[in-house]
Amino acid sequence: MDYRETERDATLRALTPVVDGIAATFGPVCEVVLHDYRRPERSVVAVAGSVTGRTVGGAMSEIGMRVLARGDDALDELNYVTRTGAGKLVKSSTMVLRDSTGAVFGALCVNVDVTEVDRVQGLLAALAGTPAGPADAPVTTFGDDIDSVVDALLDAQLTRQDQTWAGLDRPRRLALFRGLDERGVFAVRRAIEQVAVRLGISRASAYSYLSQARASRTTAANGADDTPEGARP
């Protein structure tokens, strides 16, 4: 076995009791999840607490897929607020795990249910006659099924485009695939087939759009103009 794999396995084993310790310290409003990004479809290797309902062997969330997409450039995401599909308001931190070469291979995530805190804050603000803070935290899909996470990300991309797939022109179709790719969707095994079925296109067409989207992103990153000649001013 590669020494890095041995090192990564040892790190995950060492952190497993830490998961239980953190959750026990903060009580029932806290959930701690340890992820192994080498297997996105079943990345959860340890969990304590039950804020998002994760279980060992479950899939990573949208947040984890975003970190995965950034690869070794991923940074810790601390104290962000999101909302579960069931309506819980959750304050979270995602801390990436790196091996001795600096390669990202997992994450330690802490989720704290602040729903009741938010309600009390709103009540106190109303009593004091001051406006409450905004309650528009984005909804994040947490689930043990990776397919539900992929579906949620695809639905979000279509919502941003404000169109069905059939109503999108080629640049917007490429933008949709680029957005999914940037969020780590295609790092998941069989995700390309799932996206193709959802969009009603062939797998070959999906691969073609993904290839073109990646090529256009590379061209843009290199500073070249990939705008079709007839569309230039």
Side-chain angles (χ1 to χ4, degrees), residues 16 19-24 30-34 46-51 54 111:
T16 298
V19 169
D20 292 318
I22 294 174
C30 180
E31 173 190 80
V32 184
V33 186
L34 182 62
V47 60
S50 186
V51 172
R54 321 302 298 282
N111 302 312

Side-chain angles (χ1 to χ4, degrees), residues 81-84 136-140:
V81 178
T82 188
R83 194 177 294 277
T84 69
D136 55 352
V139 175
T140 298

Side-chain angles (χ1 to χ4, degrees), residues 67-212:
V67 174
L68 183 64
R70 293 171 181 167
D72 296 341
D73 293 328
L75 300 174
D76 295 343
E77 297 189 24
L78 306 176
N79 289 326
Y80 57 89
V81 178
T82 188
R83 194 177 294 277
T84 69
K88 289 182 181 177
L89 193 65
V90 180
K91 186 173 79 166
S92 303
S93 288
T94 299
M95 294 150 283
V96 298
L97 304 178
R98 300 178 187 273
D99 61 25
S100 57
T101 69
V104 172
F105 69 93
L108 179 66
C109 302
V110 179
N111 302 312
V112 179
D113 184 352
V114 295
T115 307
E116 294 305 319
V117 174
D118 184 64
R119 288 174 181 163
V120 171
Q121 184 180 42
L123 176 59
L124 293 175
L127 289 172
T130 57
D136 55 352
V139 175
T140 298
T141 299
F142 295 98
D144 287 336
D145 177 13
I146 195 67
D147 291 348
S148 64
V149 178
V150 172
D151 280 342
L153 286 167
L154 178 55
D155 289 340
Q157 286 295 110
L158 287 170
T159 298
R160 288 189 187 95
Q161 298 282 0
D162 196 28
Q163 288 280 353
T164 62
W165 172 256
L168 298 178
D169 57 18
R170 181 178 175 277
R172 290 186 177 182
R173 290 184 175 187
L174 292 179
L176 183 146
F177 271 82
R178 190 179 306 117
L180 292 174
D181 198 27
E182 289 170 351
R183 286 161 176 80
V185 167
F186 299 116
V188 176
R189 200 173 38 171
R190 298 188 305 276
I192 192 77
E193 290 88 345
Q194 182 180 345
V195 169
V197 170
R198 281 289 312 278
L199 296 178
I201 61 178
S202 68
R203 184 173 64 174
S205 293
Y207 274 112
S208 176
Y209 279 115
L210 177 58
S211 177
Q212 293 175 65

Side-chain angles (χ1 to χ4, degrees), residues 215-224:
S216 65
R217 182 173 58 195
T218 300
T219 301
N222 291 335

